[in-house]
Amino acid sequence: MSTSSETIALGQPTVGDEELAAVAEVFRSGWLAGAGPTCRKFEERFAAATGTAHALSTSSCGAALYLGLRVLDVRPGDEVIVGDYTFPATGHAVLQAGATPVFADVRPDIWSADPAAVEALVTPRTVGILAVDVAGQPGDFDEYRAIADKHGLWLFEDAACAAGATYRERPAGSLADLAAFSFHGRKGITAGEGGALVSDRADLIEHARRLHTYGIEPAFSRGTRGELPIPVFQEAGYNFRLSDIQAAIMNVQLDRLPDLVAARRSVARRYHQGLAELPGVAVPAELPDRGHPWQAYILTIAEELGRDRLALELRERGIQCNFGTYASHLQPVYGEQRPLPVSADVFRRHLAIPMHANLTEYEVQRVVDTVRAVVTELS
């Protein structure tokens, strides 16, 4: 068994002295709580980075998804079409809003919702489309928008993995009425946890801002007025705020974003070169009209080779790996669902190998050599 010192991590954040200095500055300011001045600074910068007019920092991407559905007025009895191949936080948010997720099968190449499958699912109860940028690569948003406009639906981008991605030269986050991002530890930029909701619509973000602070305007905003504000609770909200400590980290991470994406893209190119011709293994696709941020690098393993056998052997040799993500319709929480063959197939056959900005040339080559060796042994 390999020791931990020899193990190549599946994911790893890139953090250092700059983040520590930013946190120290927040400590000196005395405002550590959420929704304060550092959060506002980050929100302004993140809105600009995503090509949107407004951003709201949140405690998680799940919180951002749920807030987005709330301000879109999703209600019990509504149906929301959801790309099936995703961590179930996407479908959970729809359930939590009281609506029904209706899962759409996915494209076999980039695993985002197939536009034809999406349109076939529209019913009189459908209110919107929640499309996922799988592993960070945006789906077919021009097609999704055409379907949404044709049927009078809203469009929501689950951009959890997509910081730094582009679609036809537009940044992820700017492709829909709303978009939600994650700053979890395995994402391209991270504060350990956290998220954001972005939009060009001020009304949606301001409503979400009230909901994420128990249903009132945050204290920092109230404190800038020349009067004693007494907030009034018009609706029940939540504590979904990002702390200013986390926002300080995110400001530095945002500075790092171009270099982090470039480093991941370099790793992806070297994986492509080393694994593209390996029998029984298919490397992931990057479409020419998209900029992939490579939050994850996911191989598709032939049935006869055996994804699970390969994964266990790689782990034994010190290469961390995992399944890709979930075919949501197969999860018991959603009850009986109709078959979605593409999503179910990639769920069985996907294998994520190490992908992060800290990988060295030696480590990347070791991953390639180990994958090739194990595949050869198992063939």
Side-chain angles (χ1 to χ4, degrees), residues 82-84 104-107 111-115 117-118 131-132 134 139-140 144:
V82 179
D84 187 66
D105 211 351
V106 298
R107 291 179 51 153
W111 320 312
S112 51
D114 183 332
V118 170
V132 183
V134 180
D140 299 308
Y144 302 152

Side-chain angles (χ1 to χ4, degrees), residues 2-328:
S2 298
T3 64
S4 59
S5 62
E6 299 170 329
T7 297
I8 299 177
L10 178 63
Q12 189 178 85
T14 302
V15 291
D17 290 341
E18 296 90 341
E19 284 83 0
L20 290 172
V23 169
E25 186 175 340
V26 170
F27 282 7
R28 288 190 293 269
S29 77
W31 191 301
L32 278 65
T38 309
C39 277
R40 280 304 181 99
K41 176 183 176 183
F42 170 67
E43 288 166 356
E44 291 171 3
R45 297 185 63 215
F46 194 66
T50 57
T52 58
H54 309 282
L56 174 68
S57 55
T58 61
S59 57
S60 68
C61 184
L65 287 167
Y66 176 72
L67 287 172
L69 294 170
R70 280 289 310 272
V71 301
L72 288 167
D73 200 28
V74 172
R75 300 182 180 187
D78 290 342
E79 293 179 350
V80 177
I81 298 172
V82 179
D84 187 66
Y85 194 59
T86 177
F87 187 77
T90 315
H92 285 9
V94 178
L95 289 180
Q96 290 157 359
T100 300
V102 178
F103 295 109
D105 211 351
V106 298
R107 291 179 51 153
D109 53 354
I110 62 170
W111 320 312
S112 51
D114 183 332
V118 170
E119 182 145 36
L121 294 173
V122 176
T123 75
R125 296 174 60 191
T126 306
V127 295
I129 302 166
L130 182 47
V132 183
D133 300 333
V134 180
Q137 182 167 208
D140 299 308
F141 274 89
D142 284 352
E143 288 84 350
Y144 302 152
R145 173 59 73 189
I147 296 166
D149 289 349
K150 175 181 176 182
H151 297 282
L153 311 175
W154 47 256
L155 178 61
F156 195 167
E157 179 184 6
D158 182 342
C161 302
T166 59
Y167 170 79
R168 298 177 179 173
E169 301 184 350
R170 290 175 278 158
S174 68
L175 309 176
D177 300 302
L178 280 168
F181 288 84
S182 173
F183 307 137
H184 176 266
R186 272 202 64 203
K187 299 305 187 286
I189 51 176
T190 180
E193 293 287 355
L197 186 68
V198 302
S199 179
D200 282 335
R201 288 184 54 180
D203 61 324
L204 296 180
I205 296 298
E206 287 311 307
H207 187 189
R209 190 178 299 280
R210 292 193 303 274
L211 285 175
H212 102 314
T213 305
Y214 295 108
I216 58 174
E217 187 179 7
F220 176 71
S221 303
R222 302 195 308 268
T224 59
R225 298 176 183 167
E227 59 185 24
L228 179 62
I230 308 297
V232 176
F233 293 82
Q234 301 286 1
E235 58 185 327
Y238 315 90
N239 183 1
F240 284 166
R241 294 168 295 188
L242 190 75
S243 77
D244 268 35
I245 298 169
Q246 292 169 297
I249 296 170
M250 289 310 306
N251 273 315
V252 179
Q253 290 281 291
L254 201 51
D255 292 336
R256 295 186 188 273
L257 180 58
D259 289 340
L260 296 177
V261 172
R264 287 171 175 261
R265 291 181 65 81
S266 176
V267 172
R269 284 194 297 271
R270 283 146 61 197
Y271 279 159
H272 286 351
Q273 293 165 2
L275 299 173
E277 304 302 322
L278 185 60
V281 173
V283 299
E286 178 180 18
L287 299 189
D289 61 349
R290 279 148 235 218
H292 201 320
W294 296 106
Q295 184 271 333
Y297 191 93
I298 301 174
L299 301 172
T300 305
I301 309 302
E303 290 274 11
E304 60 271 18
L305 190 59
R307 186 270 313 272
D308 292 5
R309 285 197 306 157
L310 176 58
L312 293 175
E313 190 60 38
L314 289 174
R315 288 180 175 181
E316 183 73 16
R317 301 185 192 194
I319 308 299
Q320 286 191 357
C321 56
N322 209 347
F323 64 96
T325 192
Y326 290 86
S328 294

